[in-house]
Amino acid sequence: MDQDYEVWFRDPRMVMRSQLSNPDFKDEIDYSPLQEFGPDGQRLWTNLMSGNWAWQQADIISEDPRTHGAVFVPVILGSDKTTVSVATGQNEYYPLYASLGNVHNNVRRAHRNAVSIIGFLSIPKTDRDYANDPTFRKFRRHLFHESLRWILEPLRGAMTTPEVAMCPDGHYRRVVYGLGPYIADYPEQVLLSCVVQGWCPRRNDLDGPSGRRSHELSNLLINSPLDRTLLWNDYGLVSDVMLIAPDILHQLVKGSFKDHLVGWVGEYLTLVHGARRAAKIMADIDRRIAAVPPFPGLRRFPQGRGFLQWTGDDSKALMKTLDEIDEALARFHRERSIFETVGVRLEGFSLPRQHAMKHYRILIEMFGAPNGLCSSITESKHIKAVKEPWRRSSRHNALHQMLTINRNLDRLNAARTDFTARGMLDMPYSIEDSIVEGPRIDASVVLAKTPVRPYIHKISTLAMQIGEPDLHLYIHNFLIDQLYPGVAIDPEHPPIARHPILGRRIDVFHSAVATYYAPSDYSGIGGMHRQRIRSVPSWRG
């Protein structure tokens, strides 16, 4: 039985030209690759254009007399399935996003116009009996890659012949487009690289011996005189896979930390201490997590770690990114052996998402800091680009309506940006309360307009009123930490010259607004984030 599959898309070349001309990006964009070095002479890896890959592409462009001197414009792609209605039939959509690779990572992470939806891919479905049929899997793979080829076709000409485009600073430059890193979670990485589930998209064989799809065989086939059609049909090969971006969200946060490490710890406690004792230990961990008070930049978990659904922000708030990648990875590999020793992982650790961490060093050197190429960027875009347009549609042939809504919203945003740049709009613009527009500034905390009246202003009496007899000690230690950051001072016995003097009057406020630099959270172009902190007597954690 034949079936038609529709692929709706916009002209990616026009979308890229629109992003490239956005004056909001004039101070957050690189027109050429660069190498940054710190005061100690160490290489700094920040944005995409600071990586080795962009430098290599610029060298190739400079060697061709037709493209020499043109600005290299990488097109970052990303796709991720999403559901728009859980209660009415699990309507799934497969959006494809594109982003300008020249802008800085904080711009791409901000809720602005650096990431645009350019199309919706088809989702082929079949009966459960044929879901794993080789013919259906091959068809699904071909449909995915052919859809990408047709969607990106308008960019092909400008990949070899420069075109003149307006840039954020108002100047016109010759630009050459090129396909950049692809943002995808593991199932889509498998689909992109044409490997089987459970293999590494780069090394194919994970941690075991090389098999039929080893790098040696792949390179041999690619460099052989075999026809490209034969390579694609029989082996699923077109070239060496290099442009798959690292995915912090699914590989580190949700994968290695939440799905693996947190789950293994629970199994370890059960095996070592028994089910009843393990439950008590986990309950104690929950109580400790739930007891953490509010603080700017610190995510609270009132239910401990036992909530039913984990999101990227939830997991990221419990696990911070590795500082020293090689050292931390070696320590992780060394210490995870305890789970194999006690019987939690008798089958070993040949896991794709943990294996992916071995590639992070080379990927950071190629593409810069991975927070600008994380799937959390595309997932956070689903709400504005897919879910809300779907709710505004008639639900009949919704794809065309959803693309039209996105196109019109992009035009309105472009008009607003242009009007603001011309001085025609002076109103502050913010999509969400947590997003602070403008450049990076010093962190600040603003208390509520008026203090709460029922409280007594004397510290000793106030401590008894709120049931905290050590309140004066808490305030004393806090002031020591704030006045002398980084200085080793015993808070219980500080030098007389550095002893903080507490005022005679203490005011109590139930809320405050903290503004601080948090480029990995929802933020403005400058990476600034705003958070309201509340502390009221009725708080129950």
Side-chain angles (χ1 to χ4, degrees):
M1 182 179 66
D2 295 333
Q3 185 173 350
D4 294 332
Y5 292 94
E6 293 183 347
V7 178
W8 292 83
F9 62 94
R10 304 160 62 188
D11 187 339
R13 179 171 157 271
M14 300 307 297
V15 173
M16 288 297 101
R17 289 179 65 92
S18 177
Q19 290 187 14
L20 190 59
S21 62
N22 191 333
D24 275 357
F25 306 155
K26 65 180 185 299
D27 298 322
E28 305 284 345
I29 190 171
D30 297 316
Y31 297 109
S32 62
L34 67 153
Q35 293 183 354
E36 299 178 271
F37 296 89
D40 56 356
Q42 292 292 323
R43 177 84 177 269
L44 302 179
W45 313 95
T46 54
N47 306 299
L48 178 63
M49 299 300 282
S50 70
N52 292 335
W53 175 79
W55 195 277
Q56 295 166 1
Q57 298 304 306
D59 286 342
I60 296 173
I61 290 174
S62 65
E63 294 172 356
D64 189 340
R66 297 175 302 171
T67 58
H68 182 79
V71 175
F72 175 53
V73 179
V75 180
I76 298 174
L77 299 173
S79 56
D80 183 41
K81 294 179 184 177
T82 185
T83 303
V84 295
S85 62
V86 176
T88 58
Q90 294 285 354
N91 292 328
E92 282 188 313
Y93 288 98
Y94 204 167
L96 177 66
Y97 299 98
S99 177
L100 191 66
N102 304 76
V103 297
H104 296 170
N105 289 353
N106 57 291
V107 177
R108 195 171 300 111
R109 296 195 63 85
H111 280 197
R112 292 297 286 273
N113 306 318
V115 180
S116 302
I117 189 168
I118 61 173
F120 286 95
L121 303 172
S122 293
I123 306 177
K125 297 182 179 180
T126 186
D127 297 334
R128 182 173 297 181
D129 295 338
Y130 299 99
N132 293 320
D133 184 84
T135 303
F136 175 73
R137 293 203 307 265
K138 183 177 180 179
F139 166 74
R140 184 178 60 183
R141 183 182 70 200
H142 277 251
L143 178 62
F144 178 81
H145 285 270
E146 281 296 305
S147 299
L148 289 180
R149 184 177 71 84
W150 277 101
I151 292 174
L152 300 175
E153 182 65 27
L155 284 173
R156 182 189 294 269
M159 289 180 177
T160 55
T161 303
E163 68 175 21
V164 178
M166 189 173 74
C167 298
D169 57 3
H171 294 282
Y172 288 85
R173 293 177 174 86
R174 296 166 65 242
V175 301
V176 173
Y177 299 102
L179 296 184
Y182 199 108
I183 301 174
D185 57 11
Y186 177 71
E188 288 194 82
Q189 291 183 3
V190 168
L191 188 60
L192 278 165
S193 55
C194 300
V195 299
V196 298
Q197 196 79 14
W199 287 10
C200 172
R202 294 179 179 83
R203 192 173 179 269
N204 300 134
D205 56 321
L206 288 185
D207 304 303
S210 297
R212 180 173 178 266
R213 280 294 304 274
S214 65
H215 264 313
E216 291 76 10
L217 178 59
S218 297
N219 292 332
L220 180 64
L221 290 171
I222 291 171
N223 296 322
S224 70
L226 291 177
D227 181 70
R228 285 184 177 272
T229 303
L230 180 63
L231 284 175
W232 172 248
N233 290 334
D234 291 355
Y235 296 96
L237 291 174
V238 286
S239 64
D240 195 13
V241 180
M242 292 292 291
L243 293 177
I244 294 180
D247 184 12
I248 294 178
L249 176 62
H250 292 96
Q251 292 171 348
L252 296 184
V253 180
K254 286 187 175 180
S256 298
F257 178 69
K258 181 257 176 179
D259 292 340
H260 297 161
L261 196 56
V262 173
W264 294 350
V265 168
E267 295 181 40
Y268 169 84
L269 292 174
T270 301
L271 289 173
V272 175
H273 301 284
R276 180 174 297 181
R277 176 60 178 163
K280 291 183 178 180
I281 295 175
M282 297 301 284
D284 182 63
I285 294 175
D286 285 344
R287 284 192 295 270
R288 291 172 183 267
I289 294 176
V292 174
F295 192 80
L298 181 64
R299 181 71 174 269
R300 291 191 61 257
F301 298 91
Q303 295 97 10
R305 40 135 285 281
F307 37 83
L308 297 179
Q309 181 177 359
W310 288 62
T311 65
D313 285 340
D314 293 332
S315 304
K316 182 173 60 179
L318 287 175
M319 186 276 296
K320 295 303 180 183
T321 311
L322 308 175
D323 294 327
E324 300 293 337
I325 293 179
D326 291 335
E327 179 183 349
L329 185 59
R331 185 170 65 253
F332 174 72
H333 286 164
R334 182 174 61 254
E335 296 179 355
R336 72 178 180 181
S337 60
I338 185 63
F339 298 111
E340 189 173 21
T341 303
V342 301
V344 175
R345 288 294 303 180
L346 293 176
E347 63 273 32
F349 302 99
S350 187
L351 302 166
R353 286 179 292 186
Q354 286 196 17
H355 170 84
M357 294 190 292
K358 294 183 177 180
H359 301 298
Y360 266 56
R361 182 183 184 91
I362 184 64
L363 291 176
I364 290 173
E365 292 175 350
M366 287 175 60
F367 304 131
N371 69 329
L373 299 171
C374 180
S375 60
S376 61
I377 297 174
T378 54
E379 288 197 3
S380 65
K381 190 70 176 178
H382 288 337
I383 297 176
K384 296 294 181 182
V386 181
K387 298 178 185 293
E388 291 184 359
W390 181 82
R391 297 189 187 105
R392 296 173 184 171
S393 71
S394 66
R395 318 293 169 84
H396 177 69
N397 294 330
L399 281 178
H400 174 67
Q401 301 173 54
M402 293 161 68
L403 273 181
T404 301
I405 291 172
N406 275 279
R407 181 193 63 195
N408 293 340
L409 288 176
D410 285 348
R411 290 176 176 175
L412 288 173
N413 286 329
R416 177 204 57 85
T417 302
D418 182 65
F419 293 160
T420 302
R422 296 172 184 270
M424 299 167 60
L425 283 179
D426 296 326
M427 296 177 60
Y429 176 79
S430 179
I431 299 176
E432 296 185 8
D433 292 339
S434 62
I435 295 174
V436 181
E437 299 300 338
R440 178 177 178 179
I441 57 177
D442 293 334
S444 62
V445 176
V446 178
L447 298 174
K449 292 183 178 179
T450 56
V452 184
R453 293 182 179 179
Y455 293 99
I456 301 173
H457 300 293
K458 190 176 180 181
I459 294 181
S460 57
T461 311
L462 177 63
M464 301 303 296
Q465 182 181 4
I466 65 176
E468 289 290 347
D470 294 328
L471 177 63
H472 68 287
L473 180 61
Y474 298 152
I475 297 176
H476 179 274
N477 293 346
F478 173 79
L479 291 176
I480 285 286
D481 184 60
Q482 294 295 308
L483 293 172
Y484 311 107
V487 179
I489 298 178
D490 184 359
E492 297 184 1
H493 304 91
I496 298 298
R498 294 187 174 183
H499 200 293
I501 300 176
L502 303 181
R504 296 182 178 180
R505 177 187 176 93
I506 297 293
D507 290 324
V508 177
F509 297 83
H510 279 176
S511 68
V513 175
T515 303
Y516 51 95
Y517 181 67
S520 292
D521 294 324
Y522 296 151
S523 58
I525 289 181
M528 299 304 297
H529 178 86
R530 180 187 293 117
Q531 181 177 350
R532 182 174 293 277
I533 308 169
R534 293 182 175 89
S535 178
V536 295
S538 60
W539 175 69
R540 292 292 182 268

